[in-house]
Amino acid sequence: MKNLKLKSARAALDLSQQDLADMVGVSRQTINSIEKGDYNPTINLCRAICKALGKTLDELFWEE
Amino acid sequence: MKKTTALILIAVLTLVFAGGLYGLVKEVNNDASYSYTFHRNLEIKGGMPDPEQTSVDFGIDEDGKYNISLSWLPMGKKLSDLKDLQPSDYSFITGCVISSAEDPCVYATTAGWITVDTTIEMKAGTYTVTFYYLTSREAYAEFAKEFFGDASAEYMADWFEWDSFKKDDKLVISYNNSVRKAGSAGIAGVWLLIVMITLAGIVLVAVFWFVTKGTFDKAKYDERQLIEKGKGSTYALYTIIAYMLALFLLDAAELLNRNMMTPMYMGAVMLGVTVGAVYSIWKECYFALNQNKPRYILLMSLVGLFNAGFGIFDIVIAKKMASAGSPIYYRLLRFGICGFELAAAFMVIAIAIFLKHRADQREEEE
């Protein structure tokens, strides 16, 4: 399932996939895979992304 | 300099040096500038050859190193057929002794259809080549005792177990026994070669250093990349297994030319590497996060081009050897095909990187 919350949070800060990838120390493809729902990140990576975007785990990764 | 980097540098230099030495030895010893070749068609009846045809004289004008090659052809085969012979074509072993008025055994060897090549020192003079037909274990033991010593009498004894040679067979055998002067590049040529090899080595090390600077032993992959790399390796392994299985079945059905098994096995490795690499490239886990992609692409292109160049060179020389009637041209052909396989693998990798780059650009624009 696509992670549109992550995509919109990133877009809200006007960050490209590459910018976010550089901030959390992964490849752009990894961010793209998470947004497309092709890859389930580990909790460590989820926390790093949340920190970078100023969001909580629930806000970005909890499915309603 | 870090320990790992130093070890890699030493390994590369050692390889370059070993390659250079090998090239040097080949250059000095294998120049067929002088050649002496004769083909003998000997008829064997009732298990014995015509005594008048079992020896031949030849002269050498100049002292030096000479290459001697010996092989025999089974019934009905031509010199050009040697490349297609199969193990089932084995028959009996032939002994060959070169003697002179002063020395009853200047050189002695035995051979089957696989050509035996040796380089020996010979003085100017007249020599006689005598062939021995070793049709039994006893005949071989007698020959070995006389020319090699007792210790080797049992060696190759299994050959006679095949018993493919019958005493009443009639075989027409064509010998290709060439005696040629090994050429010399001369001392200036040797030094030029050493300088060229050293320069090539320095260039190789410099390119390697430039490409891997600070990243070779510190490659950093993210968690998704590590998982995908593992999958890529698994697919590569499955590809190699499938290829080897196909090769085994084709070989069992005797559909393969066994002289070309080296490039065929090499193909297994290169196919596996290519599958693993292309998968990794497509999943964006081929390069580490901190690696300089353009530099690696440059290195791969260079290696690919070098291998394509060597491949073409070897195949052209092999073609020349084949048209000159050399029965061993396929040895060079094997190297040529291996070079092309390497070049093809690197080219496919380079194309995959290019296509992935285009796909990424489109994805980013979206």
Side-chain angles (χ1 to χ4, degrees):
Chain A
M1 186 187 286
K2 284 188 178 180
N3 190 335
L4 296 173
K5 291 181 199 168
L6 173 59
K7 194 170 184 176
S8 57
R10 175 176 61 77
L13 292 176
D14 202 20
L15 293 172
S16 66
Q17 286 183 342
Q18 188 63 58
D19 293 336
L20 180 58
D22 292 341
M23 287 167 79
V24 298
V26 297
S27 66
R28 189 200 63 78
Q29 183 88 7
T30 300
I31 298 297
N32 186 54
S33 300
I34 297 169
E35 288 184 356
K36 282 163 61 180
D38 292 341
Y39 173 64
N40 287 323
T42 61
I43 192 73
N44 278 339
L45 182 52
C46 290
R47 284 176 57 202
I49 291 171
C50 287
K51 267 188 184 177
L53 298 178
K55 300 281 183 184
T56 64
L57 280 169
D58 280 358
E59 284 172 324
L60 292 184
F61 295 103
W62 187 259
E63 288 178 24
E64 298 297 332
Chain B
M1 187 185 292
K2 285 201 164 186
K3 196 177 167 186
T4 318
T5 317
L7 283 173
I8 290 163
L9 198 64
I10 290 166
V12 170
L13 282 172
T14 308
L15 276 175
V16 170
F17 185 66
L21 274 183
Y22 178 71
L24 197 65
V25 169
K26 295 284 280 183
E27 177 69 22
V28 172
N29 285 338
N30 275 358
D31 181 346
S33 52
Y34 297 96
S35 68
Y36 180 84
T37 306
F38 60 88
H39 305 286
R40 303 282 289 167
N41 290 300
L42 309 175
E43 191 171 353
I44 298 179
K45 288 176 182 170
M48 290 299 291
D50 179 349
E52 288 180 10
Q53 296 183 46
T54 55
S55 67
V56 65
D57 293 337
F58 68 94
I60 286 182
D61 299 332
E62 206 179 319
D63 293 2
K65 283 182 181 172
Y66 288 82
N67 272 351
I68 294 175
S69 64
L70 172 72
S71 63
W72 65 266
L73 293 171
M75 180 166 57
K77 300 285 183 184
K78 299 192 292 291
L79 204 60
S80 56
D81 293 335
L82 264 182
K83 64 182 190 314
D84 297 321
L85 291 183
Q86 300 294 322
S88 55
D89 290 321
Y90 277 78
S91 184
F92 58 97
I93 305 171
T94 302
C96 160
V97 176
I98 296 179
S99 57
S100 66
E102 297 81 31
D103 190 347
C105 179
V106 176
Y107 170 71
T109 187
T110 58
W113 62 262
I114 297 172
T115 307
V116 175
D117 278 310
T118 319
T119 302
I120 59 169
E121 292 276 354
M122 293 184 87
K123 292 188 185 321
T126 304
Y127 293 87
T128 302
V129 186
T130 308
F131 298 109
Y132 294 78
Y133 305 88
L134 311 175
T135 56
S136 67
R137 196 185 279 250
E138 291 71 30
Y140 180 79
E142 198 177 317
F143 182 89
K145 190 178 177 185
E146 187 171 351
F147 296 106
F148 303 142
D150 278 340
S152 57
E154 283 301 308
Y155 180 61
M156 294 169 82
D158 287 347
W159 284 45
F160 302 106
E161 296 296 333
W162 290 327
D163 196 27
S164 57
F165 181 77
K166 303 288 188 297
K167 205 169 180 184
D168 293 330
D169 279 351
K170 288 181 181 176
L171 294 179
V172 177
I173 301 170
S174 172
Y175 281 94
N176 172 35
N177 188 323
S178 65
V179 181
R180 69 187 187 214
K181 186 179 189 302
S184 168
I187 196 69
V190 169
W191 276 109
L192 182 68
L193 205 62
I194 289 172
V195 169
M196 296 289 282
I197 290 164
T198 310
L199 279 177
I202 289 169
V203 169
L204 196 68
V205 170
V207 171
F208 184 77
W209 189 262
F210 173 70
V211 168
T212 62
K213 200 165 64 180
T215 60
F216 187 76
D217 49 356
K218 291 189 289 191
K220 184 175 173 289
Y221 298 92
D222 69 31
E223 55 185 47
R224 184 196 59 84
Q225 286 180 313
L226 291 173
I227 292 169
E228 295 294 356
K229 275 170 81 71
K231 282 186 194 169
S233 303
T234 307
Y235 293 144
L237 181 65
Y238 287 153
T239 306
I240 291 173
I241 290 170
Y243 180 97
M244 294 302 287
L245 188 66
L247 206 62
F248 170 76
L249 292 173
L250 289 170
D251 190 37
E254 297 187 351
L255 293 171
L256 299 178
N257 179 349
R258 286 189 172 162
N259 281 321
M260 290 297 152
M261 289 311 262
T262 309
M264 285 178 202
Y265 283 118
M266 178 89 170
V269 178
M270 294 325 297
L271 196 63
V273 166
T274 308
V275 166
V278 170
Y279 179 85
S280 300
I281 289 163
W282 210 252
K283 293 291 179 180
E284 193 67 29
C285 57
Y286 190 65
F287 296 107
L289 296 171
N290 55 340
Q291 280 176 337
N292 188 320
K293 287 183 199 175
R295 287 182 188 174
Y296 270 91
I297 294 166
L298 173 75
L299 180 68
M300 277 171 211
S301 309
L302 276 176
V303 174
L305 281 174
F306 269 124
N307 279 294
F310 286 132
I312 291 168
F313 179 76
D314 284 346
I315 288 171
V316 167
I317 300 290
K319 211 173 169 186
K320 277 186 182 174
M321 286 171 73
S323 57
S326 169
I328 55 167
Y329 71 92
Y330 58 82
R331 292 180 187 177
L332 210 57
L333 195 61
R334 284 195 289 240
F335 282 110
I337 295 171
C338 286
F340 265 117
E341 285 176 347
L342 276 163
F346 280 104
M347 278 173 201
V348 169
I349 290 171
I351 291 168
I353 291 170
F354 174 73
L355 291 176
K356 177 62 181 164
H357 181 66
R358 291 283 300 274
D360 276 352
Q361 274 183 334
R362 278 200 300 272
E363 205 173 71
E364 279 175 45
E365 282 165 11
E366 285 166 12

